């Protein structure tokens, strides 16, 4: 659907806790980003308070899903960071703080070419490399986006006696201000994401009701002042599309490291969780194939490397305050690579470009199913 993309920055005005699981255990961790579903819910809440659910704009935006809300990710700059793919490696001892050590093993996985001994070690300290996860601010500086965390204790209070209830002491984690890469200095905690629509009027209707600088609240304990963020809308993004360049560079990289020049290759990083179902309605997880992407020539398109992780996303119906069924998905950061005969290149390239624009699978209005094709990060080898 979406033709128009608007960048939005949410600046934290208070600590934030977006719980990873339902609060059934006594220690609950927070996510380090704001899922599109949570941001969309917060926008909808403000909209309902101002206009009610019968408002035609409300129906258009939220019921008919004419705006897609992405996940909102932490960064220092007003740009989306890179969620490191599961194929990423960095210094085993110092992790992403040794920026020179950050590399990707996808292309070696595709071609099976051996890696030199020196490339298996951190160029800064000589320690071996290991798998790594997190965010890079951008590909040039490779700064690791770090977020401060704190624990908050909470005592359950009995509604009848007004005193602390036995067994109801629990703690949860909160995101606080962000640390700068150098450490110590404190900066604003910002989360960057996009709103997408096929209509500029719909995006304008939303901004009319919820203008820049308005506050919204996301996550746990909102009544106690947690999770408050202020909105900054940025300009509509022109889709400067580097797709063909990325495709060519990726293929050149694979062939350079031993790939077959008679084949064409493309990789997909999941930028958000992918909730995909097969024809029988079962979730598609580790058994994902080209056919699940809806490609015409899928019989001739093979998976040649994959780094996949499943994830269970707990559902929550904010309006009713009740749990919803869990969603079984492939986790963001998962990577897939396909290869096919070179003769199919033109047709495949066109279809995959469209796939990158449209996303894949269910719950796309809530940020699921976003992907990047032939990301230049894979050339860090
Ligand atoms: Zn190192």
């Amino acid at each position: 659907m979406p033709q128009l993309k608007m960048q939005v920055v949410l600046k934290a005005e208070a600590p934030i806790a977006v719980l990873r699981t339902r609060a059934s255990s006594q220690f609950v961790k927070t996510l380090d980003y704001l899922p599109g579903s949570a941001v969309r819910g917060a926008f909808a809440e403000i909209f309902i308070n101002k206009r009610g659910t019968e408002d035609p704009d409300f129906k258009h935006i939220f019921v008919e899903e004419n705006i897609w809300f992405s996940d909102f990710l932490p960064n220092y700059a007003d740009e989306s960071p890179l969620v490191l793919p599961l194929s990423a490696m960095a210094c085993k001892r110092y992790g992403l703080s040794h920026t020179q050590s950050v590399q990707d093993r996808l292309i070696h996985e595709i071609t099976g070419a051996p890696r030199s001994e020196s490339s298996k070690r951190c160029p800064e300290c000589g320690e071996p490399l290991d798998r790594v996860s997190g965010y890079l601010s951008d590909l040039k500086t490779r700064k690791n986006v770090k977020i401060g965390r704190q624990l908050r204790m909470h005592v359950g209070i009995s509604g009848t006696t007004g005193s602390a209830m036995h067994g109801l002491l629990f703690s949860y984690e909160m995101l606080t201000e962000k640390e700068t890469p150098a450490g110590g200095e404190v900066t604003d905690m910002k989360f960057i994401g996009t709103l997408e629509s096929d209509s500029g009027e719909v995006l304008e209707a939303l901004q009319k009701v919820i203008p820049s600088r308005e506050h919204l609240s996301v996550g746990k304990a909102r009544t106690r002042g947690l999770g408050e963020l202020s909105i900054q809308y940025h300009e509509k993004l022109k889709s400067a599309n580097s797709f063909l360049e990325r495709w060519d560079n990726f293929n050149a990289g694979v062939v350079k490291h031993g790939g077959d020049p008679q084949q064409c290759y493309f990789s997909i990083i999941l930028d958000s969780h992918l909730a995909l179902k097969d024809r029988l309605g079962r979730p598609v997880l580790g058994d994902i194939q080209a056919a699940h992407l809806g490609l015409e020539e899928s019989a001739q398109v093979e998976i040649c490397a994959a780094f996949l992780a499943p994830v269970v996303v707990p559902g929550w119906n904010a309006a009713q305050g009740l749990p919803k069924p869990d969603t079984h998905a492939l986790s963001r950061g998962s990577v897939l690579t396909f290869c096919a005969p070179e003769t199919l290149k033109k047709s495949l390239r066109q279809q995959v470009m469209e796939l990158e624009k449209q996303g894949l699978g269910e719950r796309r209005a809530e940020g699921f199913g976003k992907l990047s094709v032939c990301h230049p990060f894979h050339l860090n080898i």
Side-chain angles (χ1 to χ4, degrees):
M1 168 192 72
Q3 311 286 321
L4 291 167
K5 202 185 245 191
M6 188 166 62
Q7 195 175 45
V8 181
V9 177
L10 299 177
K11 183 169 150 268
E13 305 287 346
I16 291 172
V18 181
L19 304 187
R20 197 180 283 255
T21 51
R22 294 201 188 96
S24 53
S25 65
Q26 292 195 318
F27 170 66
V28 190
K29 284 186 134 187
T30 178
L31 296 174
D32 60 6
Y33 68 101
L34 314 176
S37 54
V39 175
R40 183 173 180 269
F43 271 87
E45 196 178 335
I46 300 180
F47 213 107
I48 292 171
N49 286 339
K50 291 191 178 180
R51 292 272 194 96
T53 52
E54 293 305 310
D55 181 80
D57 284 333
F58 178 82
K59 286 186 178 163
H60 207 50
I61 294 170
F62 295 101
V63 182
E64 293 160 17
E65 302 191 339
N66 279 309
I67 294 183
W68 291 2
F69 292 75
S70 74
D71 291 342
F72 279 66
L73 310 179
N75 204 353
Y76 305 111
D78 287 357
E79 277 172 32
S80 293
L82 169 69
V83 179
L84 281 172
L86 296 177
S87 50
M89 312 271 283
C91 178
K92 186 168 187 171
R93 184 145 182 214
Y94 297 98
L96 295 170
S97 55
H98 277 183
T99 50
Q100 296 304 313
S101 71
V102 180
Q103 59 163 266
D104 192 68
R105 61 201 153 121
L106 181 70
I107 288 183
H108 281 99
E109 184 76 17
I110 296 168
T111 64
R115 285 162 54 210
S116 68
E117 282 309 309
S118 63
S119 73
K120 291 180 186 167
R121 295 193 168 268
C122 172
E124 293 184 47
C125 71
E127 289 282 331
L129 302 183
D130 202 0
R131 292 175 196 185
V132 70
S133 63
Y135 304 97
L136 288 191
S137 178
D138 57 84
L139 274 187
K140 258 191 198 145
T141 64
R142 299 175 167 196
K143 273 184 213 157
N144 177 21
V145 181
K146 288 186 191 162
I147 309 178
R149 289 164 190 261
Q150 272 179 18
L151 273 184
R152 175 171 282 204
M153 300 298 290
H154 184 76
V155 183
I157 302 292
S158 159
T160 46
T161 64
S163 59
M165 276 169 77
H166 181 67
L168 256 186
L169 177 68
F170 61 94
S171 57
Y172 56 86
E173 205 183 26
M174 301 180 306
L175 304 176
T176 55
E177 70 290 318
K178 210 161 9 181
E179 295 168 25
T180 58
E185 201 184 323
V186 169
T187 59
D188 287 336
M189 182 159 62
K190 288 181 191 168
F191 296 87
I192 325 296
T194 57
L195 306 185
E196 289 179 80
S197 179
D198 58 358
S199 149
E201 286 164 25
V202 179
L203 289 172
E204 277 160 29
L206 181 76
Q207 290 177 78
K208 227 183 212 171
V209 180
I210 306 171
S212 261
R213 289 194 288 279
E214 178 118 6
H215 283 204
L216 53 76
S217 45
V218 168
K220 185 175 167 57
R222 289 178 289 169
T223 50
R224 272 168 267 144
L226 286 192
E228 197 168 313
L229 301 130
S230 58
I231 306 168
Q232 295 162 20
Y233 296 104
H234 284 223
E235 284 166 42
K236 294 186 186 84
L237 296 174
K238 281 184 217 130
S239 52
N241 209 334
S242 56
F243 184 90
L244 296 179
E245 193 186 335
R246 279 183 276 135
W247 178 288
D248 287 345
N249 289 344
F250 182 75
N251 276 275
V254 174
V255 170
K256 184 180 160 198
H257 288 88
D260 179 356
Q262 303 303 314
Q263 300 268 314
C264 65
Y265 298 85
F266 62 92
S267 68
I268 292 176
I269 295 181
L270 302 186
D271 295 326
S272 62
H273 297 330
L274 171 62
L276 196 59
K277 285 191 175 149
D278 67 13
R279 280 189 210 142
L280 299 175
R282 297 170 301 193
V284 174
L285 300 170
D287 54 349
I288 188 166
Q289 295 295 329
H292 296 125
L293 309 185
L295 302 176
E296 282 165 24
E297 302 87 351
S298 58
Q300 294 179 74
V301 182
E302 282 177 29
I303 289 206
C304 54
F307 294 83
L308 303 173
V311 65
V312 179
V313 184
W316 186 257
N317 186 326
Q320 296 176 316
L322 291 171
K324 281 198 296 193
D326 294 339
T327 299
H328 292 261
L330 278 172
S331 170
R332 66 190 193 136
S334 293
V335 188
L336 290 155
T337 315
F338 297 91
C339 57
E342 167 80 8
T343 47
L344 298 179
K345 178 174 119 177
K346 263 195 168 169
S347 160
L348 277 175
R349 209 170 50 184
Q350 191 57 37
Q351 293 175 66
V352 176
M353 184 158 78
E354 201 52 32
L355 196 64
E356 187 182 63
K357 269 190 212 153
Q358 302 294 336
L360 188 63
E362 303 186 332
R363 299 181 64 179
R364 276 180 264 175
E366 299 168 78
F368 282 61
K370 284 193 168 296
L371 48 92
S372 296
V373 175
C374 296
H375 198 286
F377 180 76
H378 299 308
L379 300 172
N380 282 302
I381 39 183

